[in-house]
Amino acid sequence: MHQPTPRPDPAGPPFSAPAARRLRAGLGMRPEHVAHGMRVLYGLGHVTTGLVIAWERGTAHPAGRELTALAGVLWCSPGDLIGRPRTLREHRVARGLAPEDVARAIGMEPRAYLRTEETGTWRGTDRQSAALAEVLGLALPELVAVTGRDGDLADLLRSAVTTRWQAYVRPVAAVVPLDRPVLEGVLRRLHRDYQGRMAATLGWGGGGSGASDSGRAFLDRIAEHFWTAAEEWGAGG
């Protein structure tokens, strides 16, 4: 009987085929051993040797239960089998948690939490945000990204460095829960760096496209500059 060619699941986590191959080889296992273990130990009767090979070639991606079972057979965590998580769902899968587990930990109805994963829109409270970061092991930049606030942060930062940064301390603090002295120091530094860059470029070339290009490049990476400065400031910078 002809079987359709497996295709990657675009909604799935960023599965790492090289990691799966490397971990299996390190255990001295063959693809058929992996498939057998997933069928017998985890009840996934549909997993065949061909499917495991497809995963390792990157032509198909394991779904949630498959990823958890594959990690169990390979004696690793689900996070060892995926690339850098980008979405809320991917961070959850990397931790090997069910949606109900996360919902319970943050005090949210499971249906509401699943809707958050599906829409990418976070409507949780500050307390729930803190609990989410704790249960998923999220650093602050990751928390801002998975709760969909990274775009708002970038817009605020662009305004802060191109106008009066003092007026944006409170709005930025509403997005990023940093201590006020740290936040003020970071915004002051970014404002100084941007204005200094623009002044230097104008001085060298008399204005024109050089100034525009330099300023645009800085603004395009403003969030990256912000997190770098925040990390340095927090470490005593």
Side-chain angles (χ1 to χ4, degrees):
M1 180 178 177
H2 175 72
Q3 292 184 339
T5 301
R7 298 182 182 276
D9 176 7
F15 179 70
S16 174
R21 292 195 302 270
R22 183 177 64 253
L23 288 164
R24 174 183 58 75
L27 293 172
M29 301 173 69
R30 296 175 59 84
E32 54 264 36
H33 300 149
V34 176
H36 178 76
M38 293 180 68
R39 289 195 302 267
V40 173
L41 298 177
Y42 293 90
L44 299 181
H46 67 282
V47 176
T48 63
T49 300
L51 184 55
V52 173
I53 292 174
W55 290 340
E56 293 188 357
R57 289 177 177 172
T59 58
H61 294 175
R65 282 190 62 208
E66 294 168 338
L67 183 66
T68 301
L70 180 61
V73 171
L74 296 179
W75 289 86
C76 67
S77 71
D80 294 326
L81 292 171
I82 68 175
R84 185 183 181 90
R86 298 158 300 183
T87 66
L88 184 55
R89 178 179 182 274
E90 290 170 4
H91 279 282
R92 174 179 60 75
V93 171
R95 289 276 168 171
L97 297 171
E100 295 78 11
D101 296 331
V102 177
R104 186 182 310 111
I106 67 177
M108 182 178 288
E109 289 293 327
R111 185 176 301 178
Y113 173 76
L114 281 173
R115 188 161 54 249
T116 294
E117 285 195 359
E118 293 166 359
T119 64
T121 302
W122 175 253
R123 302 188 185 283
T125 64
D126 289 344
R127 183 188 63 77
Q128 288 173 325
S129 296
L132 183 70
E134 181 176 356
V135 71
L136 296 182
L138 300 174
L140 189 51
E142 294 172 326
L143 177 64
V144 171
V146 301
T147 54
R149 294 178 290 178
D150 46 348
D152 292 339
L153 174 62
D155 289 342
L156 288 170
L157 293 174
R158 291 188 189 99
S159 297
V161 301
T162 56
T163 58
R164 293 182 65 256
W165 65 265
Q166 296 90 339
Y168 289 88
V169 173
R170 182 172 296 179
V172 174
V175 178
V176 183
L178 288 173
D179 290 339
R180 187 180 179 92
V182 173
L183 189 53
E184 289 178 345
V186 170
L187 292 181
R188 184 186 302 112
R189 179 185 299 183
L190 291 180
H191 184 272
R192 180 193 63 204
D193 290 349
Y194 175 77
Q195 297 297 333
R197 180 184 300 253
M198 295 298 290
T201 306
L202 287 169
W204 295 332
S209 62
S212 298
D213 291 344
S214 177
R216 187 179 304 111
F218 186 89
L219 295 178
D220 285 345
R221 300 177 61 187
I222 190 64
E224 181 181 338
H225 294 312
F226 174 81
W227 292 119
T228 298
E231 183 177 356
E232 293 173 353
W233 193 275

